[in-house]
């Protein structure tokens, strides 16, 4: 999946000369937390977040004394070293950028012009859709040797019961690098028969560990 498929294309922006008050109103009206700051060529030159606003806004205890600060331009509080992505970047690649840089949004540019934005909420929704977690089904976790062909073996056992596989995730066993964990989500509300088949085939099912199912 590429970024273009999940990014918001109707991006709310401000110019650097707009005021902090403008940004506060825009965030409230649009129910957003991030505003890219662009120049007349629609190139990203900065980013203002709700956190920047909170840091810049006067305390409620001294509001009357400092409310004039809200008329300062957003360029006075914006982040200028903005990380951006491209519409053809893979979603997993930008997820890594979010993780490595601890950011919560990523403006998307093409030919140096703003064409979209991706937020951490967009990534969360995409993860839910990719894993099928929002659909009825059952999750099975299997510990397997870290070698080629194991996913095929697990899928072959599941296919015997004609259970539809909705998604598969693979991650290393944190305790033993010789193994990895396969997380398989199947389209059935009763996985007991599949679990029984997996255990009879010699596989180590971590979850669900159901009472009465042979080990």
């Amino acid at each position: 999946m590429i970024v273009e498929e999940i990014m918001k294309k109707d991006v709310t922006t401000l110019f650097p000369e707009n005021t902090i008050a403008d940004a506060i109103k825009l965030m409230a009206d649009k129910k957003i937390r991030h505003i890219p700051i662009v120049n007349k060529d629609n190139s990203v030159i900065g980013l203002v977040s709700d956190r920047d606003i909170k840091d810049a806004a006067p305390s409620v205890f001294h509001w009357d004394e400092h409310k004039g600060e809200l008329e300062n331009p957003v360029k006075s509080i914006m982040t200028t070293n903005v990380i951006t992505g491209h519409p053809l970047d893979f979603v997993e690649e930008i997820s890594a950028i979010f993780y490595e840089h601890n950011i919560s949004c990523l403006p998307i540019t093409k030919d140096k012009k703003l064409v979209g934005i991706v937020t951490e909420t967009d990534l969360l929704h995409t993860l839910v859709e990719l894993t099928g977690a929002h659909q009825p089904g059952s999750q099975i976790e299997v510990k397997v040797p870290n070698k080629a062909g194991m996913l095929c073996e697990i899928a072959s056992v599941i296919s015997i019961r004609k259970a539809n596989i909705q998604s598969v995730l693979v991650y290393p066993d944190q305790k033993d690098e010789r193994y990895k964990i396969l997380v398989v989500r199947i389209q059935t509300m009763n996985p007991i028969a599949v679990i029984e088949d997996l255990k009879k085939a010699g596989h180590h099912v971590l979850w669900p560990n159901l009472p009465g199912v042979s080990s």
Side-chain angles (χ1 to χ4, degrees), residues 151-172:
L151 177 57
C152 181
E153 286 189 25
I154 299 300
S156 296
V157 174
I158 294 174
S159 68
I160 296 173
R161 296 288 175 175
K162 301 187 183 302
N164 183 38
I165 297 178
Q166 295 173 311
S167 66
V168 178
L169 297 177
V170 183
Y171 63 91

Side-chain angles (χ1 to χ4, degrees), residues 14-73:
L14 286 175
F15 293 112
E17 296 77 22
N18 284 113
T19 66
I20 296 173
D22 292 334
I24 293 174
K25 184 177 186 305
L26 201 56
M27 286 185 179
D29 291 345
K30 298 288 187 177
K31 294 180 173 57
I32 56 177
R33 295 171 50 208
H34 311 88
I35 303 176
I37 309 303
V38 298
N39 59 20
K40 62 181 180 179
D41 297 320
N42 202 37
S43 296
V44 179
I45 60 173
L47 184 71
V48 171
S49 69
D50 58 346
R51 183 178 299 175
D52 298 323
I53 296 294
K54 290 174 182 176
D55 290 342
S59 165
V60 293
F61 300 106
H62 305 283
W63 184 268
D64 291 335
E65 299 174 30
H66 302 283
K67 62 182 179 181
E69 295 176 6
L70 299 182
E71 296 305 313
N72 291 332

Side-chain angles (χ1 to χ4, degrees), residues 6 95 119-131:
I6 71 167
S95 297
T119 67
E120 55 189 354
T121 301
D122 298 323
L123 289 180
L124 178 60
H125 288 176
T126 300
L127 175 63
V128 170
E129 291 176 359
L130 290 177
T131 58

Side-chain angles (χ1 to χ4, degrees), residues 51-106:
R51 183 178 299 175
D52 298 323
I53 296 294
K54 290 174 182 176
D55 290 342
S59 165
V60 293
F61 300 106
H62 305 283
W63 184 268
D64 291 335
E65 299 174 30
H66 302 283
K67 62 182 179 181
E69 295 176 6
L70 299 182
E71 296 305 313
N72 291 332
V74 291
K75 65 182 179 182
S76 66
I77 65 169
M78 70 183 187
T79 299
T80 55
N81 187 22
V82 183
I83 302 171
T84 61
H86 188 276
L88 298 182
D89 287 340
F90 290 111
V91 170
E92 56 265 37
E93 292 174 345
I94 68 161
S95 297
I97 293 175
F98 272 69
Y99 177 79
E100 291 169 7
H101 296 277
N102 194 29
I103 58 177
S104 53
C105 86
L106 188 71

